[in-house]
Amino acid sequence: ILPSDHDNPEVQIYDEFVEFFRAVPLYDLIFTQKGSYKKLAELLGRSLDKPWADEDVKDLKGAYTAFEIAFLAKGGGSLSISAADAFLVYLGIYDMNTLLEETPKSYTDKIASVWDEFLVEARDDNIAFVENPTLEKKDVIPILTPLLKKTLYTKEKPLRITYIYDKDPENSSWIYGHELGRNQVTDKFEGLVYTRSFSNCDTEEKFAETVDKIAEVSDVIVTPSPAQMDMTLKAAVKYPQVKFLNCSINLSHNAVRTYYGRMYEAKFLMGALAGSICENHRVGYVADYPIFGTVANINAFAIGAALADPECKVYLTWTAVENTDWRREMWEQNIRVSSGPDLIKPTEVTREYGIYRKDDYGNVYNLAMPVWDWGKYYELIVQTILNDAWPEKSGAPSDQALNYWWGMSAGVIDVILSQHLSYYSNKMVDAIRRALLAGIMHPFAGKLVDQNGRVIRSGQEEGHMTNEEIVSMDWLNDNVVGSLPSEWQLTETGKKTVKISGVIEK
C-alpha cells in the first residue's frame, strides 16, 4: 500500500526509496532530500535499474553502519539532517572504502575534517550571498587598526594564485575571459601577486595530479567552472591551508568560497533594448546550460523586453541540446533581433553574439553585448586577501557557505552599446541602469507570472525576490516561448555541468 499524495515531498522521497529498495534491499538509509538515493548510486558508480550483488549490498551496509556510529558519537544526532544525508556529503569527498578498510580513528578523523560541511548541509539558508565587496578587515577596536595592521605579502613573498581550467582558453570563450582576468591581476599588482594557470584539467585524475603538484606553493586556487566543484571540494578538504574559489552559485560548501556575477542585471537592460527595436514582437534568446543563474538571466531579459514592448515574445533555444542549430531555428521563426552567446571563442570568427540584428540578406549588425569584467572581479578578491579581509564573512554565520555575488554596483558587470544605436536607445538603457544602481528598479519586483499562468508574485509584496529565489528559479516568464531541456536532451558536456549545478529534473 503506497501513499497517493505524490505532490507531497515526503511521499516523493518515499517513492524514490521504493525504487532504491528494489535494487538495494536496505532499510537503513533514510534521506530527507529528493534525488538522494539516485545520487548515492551515482557516487558509488552504480545505478538503480537492476538489483545489486549481495556483496555490494553488504559493503554499503557495513560502510554506512560504521559512518553512522561515528557520526552520532560526534553529536550528529543534534543536527537537522539524517545520518544518511551526512553520509552522502561524506561520499562526495571520501571513498566508501575508507569506512571499510581504514581504522575507526582514521575515518573518525575524516568525519571531523568535513564536519563544517555537515553544518552547512543542515541549514535551510545555507548560503550567504555577499552583494558588494568587503575590502577592509573589520577591527573590533578601530583605534588599534594602525598598530595591528600588517603586510601579509610582499614582492619578495608574493600572493601566489593558481588557476586550474577544465578547458583551453583558445577553445573556450568562458575560460578565455578568466584568463584575461588573470593576466590583468598580474599586471595590476606589479609583482605583489604571482599567478599561473593550467589548462585541460578535465578529469579527476588530471585535476588531482595538478593540485598535488601546486598546493604547497599556492596561497589561492581558482577553478572557473561549476563542473569543477566536486573536485575542488575534495582538494580543499585535503589542503585546508589553501584558499579555494569556484565560479558558481547555489553550491553550498564551507571549504570552498564561490563567486559569480549578477548577470541578470545586464540581461534586463539588454532585454529592454531588444524589445524596443524588434519590429515583429519577436526576440531570440540563446542560452547554454540550464544551471543555477541561467534561468534568472532568461527571465530578466524577457521582463525587460516586455517592459519596452508588452507584446514581445522571447524565443528560447539552447546550445547544450544535442543536434540543435539555434541559428537556423531563429531564422525559420522570422526572428531578426536576437540575444546570442555572451562571448565568442577566440578562434571563432562571428558577429552573432550579444544583441544583434540580422537583415533579410543575412547581414549581422551588433547592437550591444554584456561584459563580464573578470579582471575587475579578481582585483577585488585579491585586494580582499591583501588587506587581510578574507576571514571576514560579512556577518554570515560560520555554518553558512559564502558566495560573492557582485554585479553592476561593483563594476564587474555591465553592457556595452554600439555607437550605431540611436540617442534614444542610449538614453533608455542609461535610465534603466541608473534606476537599477539606485535600487528603485528591479526585474524581479512586482507581479511575476510564469508560462502556465501561475502567479509567482502577486505584486502586493514589498521589495523583490530574495537572492535564494533568484538563483534557484526553475520557471520561465509568461512571454518566453520554449522550455527547460530534459537531461537526456543535453550534450555530454551539458549533462556533466547540469549534474553539478542544474535546475532540471535529473
Side-chain angles (χ1 to χ4, degrees):
I1 300 175
L2 298 176
S4 58
D5 183 11
H6 293 285
D7 292 330
N8 185 325
E10 291 185 5
V11 174
Q12 293 171 351
I13 295 171
Y14 185 76
D15 287 341
E16 292 178 359
F17 165 75
V18 172
E19 179 188 12
F20 168 79
F21 191 81
R22 292 191 184 105
V24 190
L26 288 178
Y27 285 109
D28 307 59
L29 287 94
I30 305 299
F31 292 109
T32 63
Q33 299 294 324
K34 291 191 298 181
S36 295
Y37 289 103
K38 182 179 179 181
K39 183 177 180 180
L40 171 65
E42 290 175 346
L43 286 172
L44 299 179
R46 306 298 302 270
S47 73
L48 302 178
D49 297 336
K50 58 183 180 181
W52 292 15
D54 290 344
E55 191 66 26
D56 294 333
V57 175
K58 181 180 177 181
D59 283 347
L60 176 57
K61 181 177 177 64
Y64 176 68
T65 300
F67 175 86
E68 183 180 32
I69 292 172
F71 175 73
L72 294 177
K74 187 168 173 56
S78 65
L79 303 182
S80 61
I81 57 174
S82 69
D85 294 329
F87 182 59
L88 204 58
V89 173
Y90 181 91
L91 292 181
I93 302 170
Y94 294 114
D95 190 274
M96 188 176 75
N97 288 331
T98 59
L99 296 162
L100 297 171
E101 300 172 358
E102 297 184 7
T103 64
K105 182 181 185 311
S106 179
Y107 61 69
T108 297
D109 288 344
K110 286 183 169 60
I111 289 174
S113 72
V114 296
W115 193 260
D116 285 345
E117 302 302 325
F118 300 151
L119 298 179
V120 170
E121 184 70 16
R123 289 185 66 109
D124 291 330
D125 57 337
N126 54 14
I127 301 178
F129 292 93
V130 180
E131 297 188 29
N132 293 291
T134 301
L135 300 182
E136 298 291 340
K137 184 176 182 179
K138 296 178 182 178
D139 295 293
V140 178
I141 307 177
I143 195 171
L144 296 180
T145 298
L147 301 176
L148 298 176
K149 195 167 184 179
K150 58 182 179 179
T151 302
L152 298 178
Y153 304 98
T154 64
K155 291 188 177 181
E156 290 71 32
K157 184 187 175 183
L159 175 65
R160 301 163 299 177
I161 306 176
T162 302
Y163 290 70
I164 302 180
Y165 303 142
D166 57 348
K167 298 178 182 178
D168 194 300
E170 292 186 1
N171 301 319
S172 168
S173 56
W174 180 256
I175 299 301
Y176 181 67
H178 289 270
E179 179 68 358
L180 291 177
R182 180 185 74 84
N183 291 328
Q184 184 173 323
V185 163
T186 302
D187 295 339
K188 169 77 174 181
F189 292 97
E190 301 178 357
L192 195 59
V193 175
Y194 168 75
T195 72
R196 58 178 171 172
S197 64
F198 293 84
S199 302
N200 295 318
C201 299
D202 54 354
T203 66
E204 287 197 23
E205 292 74 19
K206 291 180 183 178
F207 187 92
E209 181 181 339
T210 301
V211 171
D212 288 342
K213 182 168 61 176
I214 55 89
E216 296 302 326
V217 292
S218 298
D219 300 301
V220 184
I221 293 178
V222 180
T223 56
S225 170
Q228 295 174 288
M229 174 54 97
D230 285 351
M231 297 181 285
T232 306
L233 176 60
K234 292 178 182 179
V237 172
K238 186 175 182 179
Y239 298 103
Q241 78 278 10
V242 179
K243 300 173 177 65
F244 282 85
L245 285 157
N246 175 259
C247 188
S248 60
I249 51 175
N250 225 35
L251 297 180
S252 52
H253 297 294
N254 189 281
V256 181
R257 293 193 184 184
T258 55
Y259 64 102
Y260 209 72
R262 297 198 300 273
M263 179 51 71
Y264 73 82
E265 296 175 342
K267 294 292 185 177
F268 182 58
L269 292 178
M270 293 168 64
L273 174 63
S276 70
I277 60 178
C278 69
E279 298 174 352
N280 58 0
H281 311 297
R282 293 171 173 243
V283 173
Y285 190 101
V286 181
D288 46 18
Y289 307 115
I291 59 176
F292 293 118
T294 295
V295 180
N297 293 345
I298 297 167
N299 287 337
F301 181 91
I303 292 169
L307 285 179
D309 175 11
E311 296 182 44
C312 184
K313 299 292 183 183
V314 175
Y315 289 76
L316 174 64
T317 187
W318 300 88
T319 61
V321 169
E322 197 77 69
N323 301 318
T324 188
D325 185 344
W326 58 268
R327 292 180 176 87
R328 177 181 56 78
E329 291 178 17
M330 297 292 185
W331 186 261
E332 291 178 349
Q333 295 185 83
N334 194 31
I335 294 171
R336 297 297 180 261
V337 176
S338 298
S339 173
D342 292 345
L343 302 167
I344 59 174
K345 295 179 181 178
T347 56
E348 184 176 300
V349 180
T350 180
R351 296 178 64 89
E352 292 171 287
Y353 63 91
I355 299 294
Y356 65 89
R357 186 202 297 272
K358 184 177 286 189
D359 65 21
D360 292 339
Y361 303 100
N363 299 311
V364 175
Y365 303 91
N366 295 105
L367 304 174
M369 66 175 290
V371 176
W372 292 87
D373 192 343
W374 291 117
K376 176 68 172 179
Y377 212 124
Y378 289 129
E379 281 182 25
L380 292 171
I381 290 176
V382 167
Q383 196 65 63
T384 297
I385 298 172
L386 294 177
N387 292 351
D388 195 26
W390 174 267
E392 298 290 340
K393 295 193 72 174
S394 300
S398 59
D399 56 353
Q400 271 190 314
L402 196 70
N403 177 265
Y404 299 124
W405 202 33
W406 302 335
M408 295 177 66
S409 60
V412 301
I413 297 289
D414 207 347
V415 174
I416 295 178
L417 301 179
S418 167
Q419 60 181 352
H420 300 298
L421 283 172
S422 73
Y423 158 75
Y424 292 106
S425 291
N426 278 273
K427 188 172 183 177
M428 178 192 69
V429 172
D430 185 60
I432 297 175
R433 179 192 283 110
R434 290 175 181 274
L436 284 173
L437 291 174
I440 59 177
M441 177 179 280
H442 195 287
F444 303 119
K447 187 172 183 177
L448 299 171
V449 181
D450 74 3
Q451 288 177 319
N452 301 315
R454 179 170 62 108
V455 177
I456 306 298
R457 282 174 58 91
S458 68
Q460 303 302 313
E461 308 93 335
E462 293 185 2
H464 52 76
M465 296 185 82
T466 65
N467 293 328
E468 292 79 4
E469 291 171 330
I470 292 172
V471 300
S472 61
M473 283 181 182
D474 59 358
W475 52 273
L476 294 171
N477 203 60
D478 58 1
N479 65 326
V480 176
V481 179
S483 61
L484 299 177
S486 299
E487 188 177 12
W488 63 267
Q489 295 177 289
L490 301 175
T491 61
E492 286 306 311
T493 301
K495 290 176 183 176
K496 291 178 182 178
T497 304
V498 162
K499 184 175 292 186
I500 301 297
S501 186
V503 294
I504 63 176
E505 288 292 332
K506 304 183 179 70

